Structure formats: structure tokens, C-alpha cells
């Protein structure tokens, strides 16, 4: 019988663990699916890990790990994929915003041969206007940059063991799970779901963290910003040739003192472009630096008793 692993990243979610574990195990038992739940506490500072341990003591199909500090949701997802032993792995949020009833549908598609089942948002649920606008803008830019339609996509997916292994083999430190499954290819199907209301607690994203996330992911998936630097550079060269000719003609005609405003404007505009370009290049340099250091994506500090302590390389990866 095939095993389904459900990976649940959790950051300060003590109120959600017991409820989510109960809902998922109840559902999967009723559906007759052989399952395990993998909770990754992403350096939570509240009782999240204690809750995971408690759930694990009650139900041996529940296992979990605690990071030594907050490494971010991406890292937590990858740690979960590493610990999961299922033939198929579902990744979902642990606040039940991804409706559990969708899992059996994904499972059916997987049994019918799909290797990736994407959860597609049919509605974005209740989000503030500001959040919706910024998320909308983020996805439009991202879709352009990486040439994949991202607007409705989410981290709610089912992956076949083959795909999980491909993702775990990737050498890069900075990952963008949502886009990587598109990049990987494979036989992909999708199911629609309605984003639910968060069960307990608050969203862990601030506007600032979303902006950082957007820039990091854009640069990890596309070199387009670097090409924009080249294009603006070329455009300003064309502009400066025109101005150079004009200046020379004026000089030869003996009227060269005018145009002070032009000079100041040019200095400002070109200075601005140069700073922006350096910033973009600096950003890529920083990313290269991070990758080159080769530090682990995450560090696991504790695991529940049903996880073998020496499970290949799980401590840092
Ligand atoms: N999360 C995480 N690490 C973080 C931030 C969030 O593991 O640094 C988890 C969080 O516990 C939740 C999921 O990622 O299970 C989605 O986070 P959240 O619900 O806060 O985001 P939203 O649903 O508002 O996009
Ligand atoms: Mg949420």
C-alpha cells in the first residue's frame, strides 16, 4: 500500500498543531489512506514543538522536527521533504487555509498517474486590500520574469517521490518551492481549492517580509533584472550620443554656455540609473556569495522520537 506524507511547516503555530493534526488524521483514516504527518517547527518561539511532540506521542504516524532558529518557510518545506518517506508527499500550510478535503482529490489524481498535482486557488479568501494588491503585483511581475503563470499557484501541492528526490538533489540554498515544481516539469495536473480562513493566530508575513521574499525569488529565478541594466545602459548611450552631437554643434557655432539645466538633469538621471544598476548587480553578487558559502538551508536542533537521529544528513541541509 502506498504511503502519503503530509508536510506542514509551522512557525509559532501552537494553537493550530493539535487541531490540524486531528483534522488531517481523521480525514485520512476515513478515506483509508496510509499516511504520516511531518510537522516542521521553523524555529518557533512558542509551544509549537511541544505540541508536535504531544501529537506525536499520541499518534505514531505524526513526526516532527524543530529548527535551531527561524530559517523561513522554504527551508521548512525542504526539511519536511527530507524527513518524509511517502510515495507521494503533500505540502500544505498548518493553519488549514489549504482545505484538507482537497488532499483525497490530489491523491486520486496521483493514483491515476499524475506526478505533480498543483493546488490552484479559485479564490484568494479573505485578505486585506493592501495584501491583495501587493500579492497581485508580485505574481504579475514573477510570472513575467520566470514565464510561468503564478497568479493562482500556491505552496499547496502533491509531489510524487520522483519529484521530491529531484528537488532534494538541487544544490542551491535559495529555493522557491512554488516555481521549482514548474521548472522540474513532470506530468502535472491541478485541482482547484478555495483559500480558507486562518484557523488560529495571525499571518506570519509582514509587508517588508513579502517584499524581501519577492526580490529574493525574482532574482533566484531570473536574470532579467541584469539584462534591464544593460538595456538602460544602451538607451542612455544613445541619448548621450544625440546630446554630444548637439553640444558639439553648439560649441562650433560659438554658443556653448547654455544648457546648464540639461547638465544637472543628466547628472541626476544617469547617476540614478547607475546607482540602481549597481544595486541590482550587488543583489546578484550577494546571492552568489550566499550560494558560494554553501551553508546549510536549515539546522535541525531536535526531532521527535520516531525520527531516526542519524537519518541521512537531516541535521543540516
Ligand atoms: N511559516 C513558516 N516559517 C515562516 C513563516 C511562515 O514555516 O517563517 C509557515 C506558517 O506556520 C504557515 C505557513 O508557513 O503554516 C503559511 O504562513 P502564513 O499562514 O503566516 O502565511 P499566509 O497564509 O498569510 O500567506
Ligand atoms: Mg496562512
Amino acid at each position: 500500500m502506498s504511503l502519503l506524507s503530509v508536510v506542514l511547516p509551522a512557525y509559532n503555530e501552537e494553537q493550530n498543531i493539535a487541531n490540524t493534526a486531528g483534522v488531517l488524521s481523521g480525514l485520512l483514516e476515513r478515506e483509508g489512506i496510509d499516511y504520516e504527518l511531518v510537522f516542521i517547527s521553523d524555529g518557533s518561539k512558542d509551544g509549537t514543538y511541544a505540541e508536535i511532540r504531544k501529537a506525536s506521542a499520541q499518534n505514531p504516524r505524526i513526526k516532527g522536527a524543530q529548527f535551531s532558529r527561524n530559517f523561513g518557510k522554504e527551508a521548512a518545506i525542504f526539511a519536511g521533504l527530507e524527513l518524509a518517506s511517502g510515495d507521494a508527499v503533500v505540502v500544505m500550510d498548518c493553519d488549514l487555509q489549504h482545505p484538507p478535503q482537497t488532499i483525497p482529490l490530489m491523491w486520486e489524481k496521483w493514483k491515476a498517474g499524475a506526478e505533480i498535482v498543483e493546488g490552484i486557488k479559485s479564490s484568494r479568501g479573505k485578505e486585506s486590500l493592501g495584501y491583495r494588491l501587493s500579492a497581485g503585483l508580485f505574481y504579475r511581475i514573477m510570472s513575467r520574469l520566470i514565464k510561468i503563470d503564478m497568479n493562482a499557484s500556491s505552496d499547496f501541492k502533491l509531489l510524487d517521490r520522483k519529484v521530491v528526490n529531484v528537488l532534494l538533489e538541487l544544490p542551491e540554498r535559495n529555493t522557491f518551492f512554488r516555481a521549482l515544481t514548474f521548472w522540474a516539469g513532470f506530468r502535472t495536473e491541478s485541482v482547484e481549492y478555495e483559500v480558507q480562513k486562518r484557523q488560529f493566530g495571525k499571518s506570519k508575513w509582514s509587508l517588508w517580509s513579502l517584499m524581501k521574499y519577492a526580490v529574493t525569488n525574482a532574482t533566484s529565478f531570473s536574470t532579467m533584472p541584469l539584462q534591464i541594466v544593460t538595456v538602460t545602459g544602451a538607451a542612455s548611450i544613445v541619448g548621450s550620443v544625440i546630446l554630444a552631437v548637439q553640444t558639439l554643434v553648439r560649441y562650433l557655432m560659438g554658443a556653448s554656455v547654455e544648457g546648464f539645466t540639461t547638465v544637472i538633469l543628466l547628472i541626476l538621471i544617469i547617476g540614478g540609473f547607475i546607482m540602481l544598476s549597481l544595486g541590482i548587480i550587488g543583489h546578484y553578487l550577494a546571492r552568489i556569495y550566499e550560494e558560494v558559502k554553501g551553508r546549510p538551508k536549515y539546522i535541525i536542533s531536535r526531532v521527535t522520537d520516531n525520527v531516526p537521529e542519524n537519518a541521512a544528513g537531516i541535521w543540516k541541509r
Side-chain angles (χ1 to χ4, degrees):
M1 198 173 161
S2 311
L3 176 70
L4 172 70
S5 303
V6 183
V7 166
L8 303 124
Y11 178 48
N12 293 346
E13 303 274 13
E14 60 181 358
Q15 298 157 294
N16 280 314
I17 303 296
N19 178 48
T20 301
V23 169
L24 285 178
S25 44
L27 173 82
L28 294 169
E29 266 153 37
R30 252 178 288 128
E31 294 284 334
I33 299 173
D34 193 19
Y35 72 96
E36 65 168 3
L37 307 183
V38 185
F39 283 97
I40 305 292
S41 165
D42 183 6
S44 305
K45 286 170 206 76
D46 64 357
T48 302
Y49 185 64
E51 286 291 324
I52 295 172
R53 283 199 75 90
K54 218 166 22 170
S56 171
Q58 281 163 11
N59 181 352
R61 289 166 176 274
I62 298 177
K63 58 189 186 184
Q66 159 84 347
F67 282 178
S68 62
R69 64 167 170 86
N70 182 249
F71 279 90
K73 185 181 176 187
E74 286 290 318
I77 291 176
F78 274 81
L81 294 179
E82 187 88 44
L83 286 187
S85 42
D87 303 291
V89 180
V90 166
V91 174
M92 69 188 289
D93 288 358
C94 75
D95 54 7
L96 292 188
Q97 280 192 286
H98 297 152
Q101 314 83 277
T102 313
I103 299 177
L105 303 176
M106 292 176 153
W107 179 250
E108 287 307 317
K109 296 215 167 187
W110 175 75
K111 283 213 295 207
E115 288 158 321
I116 297 177
V117 186
E118 297 280 346
I120 305 284
K121 294 176 206 151
S122 57
S123 84
R124 290 192 64 94
K126 267 211 166 64
E127 290 168 340
S128 74
L129 184 68
Y131 188 95
R132 235 187 4 251
L133 286 180
S134 47
L137 183 69
F138 168 51
Y139 285 121
R140 252 212 310 286
I141 296 174
M142 285 301 292
S143 313
R144 271 287 170 77
L145 287 179
I146 62 184
K147 302 181 186 76
I148 295 167
D149 178 20
M150 303 272 310
N151 190 25
S153 76
S154 66
D155 288 337
F156 187 22
K157 308 169 191 288
L158 178 145
L159 309 177
D160 184 82
R161 171 51 50 189
K162 278 193 280 263
V163 184
V164 173
N165 288 344
V166 165
L167 295 188
L168 289 176
E169 292 275 300
L170 293 177
E172 69 226 54
R173 305 288 131 188
N174 288 293
T175 50
F176 186 32
F177 178 67
R178 203 169 291 193
L180 277 173
T181 54
F182 290 94
W183 171 85
F186 290 98
R187 277 187 60 186
T188 304
E189 300 213 17
S190 56
V191 285
E192 289 211 351
Y193 71 91
E194 294 243 340
V195 179
Q196 306 296 304
K197 251 186 66 203
R198 194 171 227 290
Q199 282 291 314
F200 302 103
K202 293 199 303 244
S203 171
K204 305 292 177 289
W205 295 97
S206 63
L207 184 62
W208 177 243
S209 64
L210 268 179
M211 260 159 57
K212 252 178 31 195
Y213 189 64
V215 173
T216 313
N217 292 324
T219 50
S220 83
F221 246 88
S222 163
T223 49
M224 184 77 90
L226 286 174
Q227 274 128 38
I228 294 172
V229 171
T230 322
V231 172
T232 39
S236 62
I237 286 175
V238 172
S240 47
V241 167
I242 297 170
L243 279 167
V245 172
Q246 191 215 30
T247 314
L248 275 179
V249 170
R250 282 215 182 152
Y251 174 75
L252 293 175
M253 285 168 36
S256 59
V257 189
E258 263 175 70
F260 203 65
T261 328
T262 324
V263 171
I264 291 179
L265 283 180
L266 276 179
I267 291 178
L268 288 176
I269 293 169
I270 294 181
F273 274 133
I274 292 177
M275 303 273 253
L276 186 69
S277 312
L278 281 178
I280 294 175
I281 293 168
H283 200 86
Y284 278 93
L285 204 68
R287 305 298 305 279
I288 295 172
Y289 180 54
E290 272 165 31
E291 294 287 342
V292 158
K293 278 190 292 189
R295 295 211 176 135
K297 276 198 197 78
Y298 54 80
I299 301 170
I300 291 178
S301 58
R302 273 170 295 167
V303 288
T304 51
D305 300 334
N306 50 357
V307 176
E309 292 232 339
N310 58 353
I314 57 164
W315 295 98
K316 39 195 172 129
R317 208 131 151 165

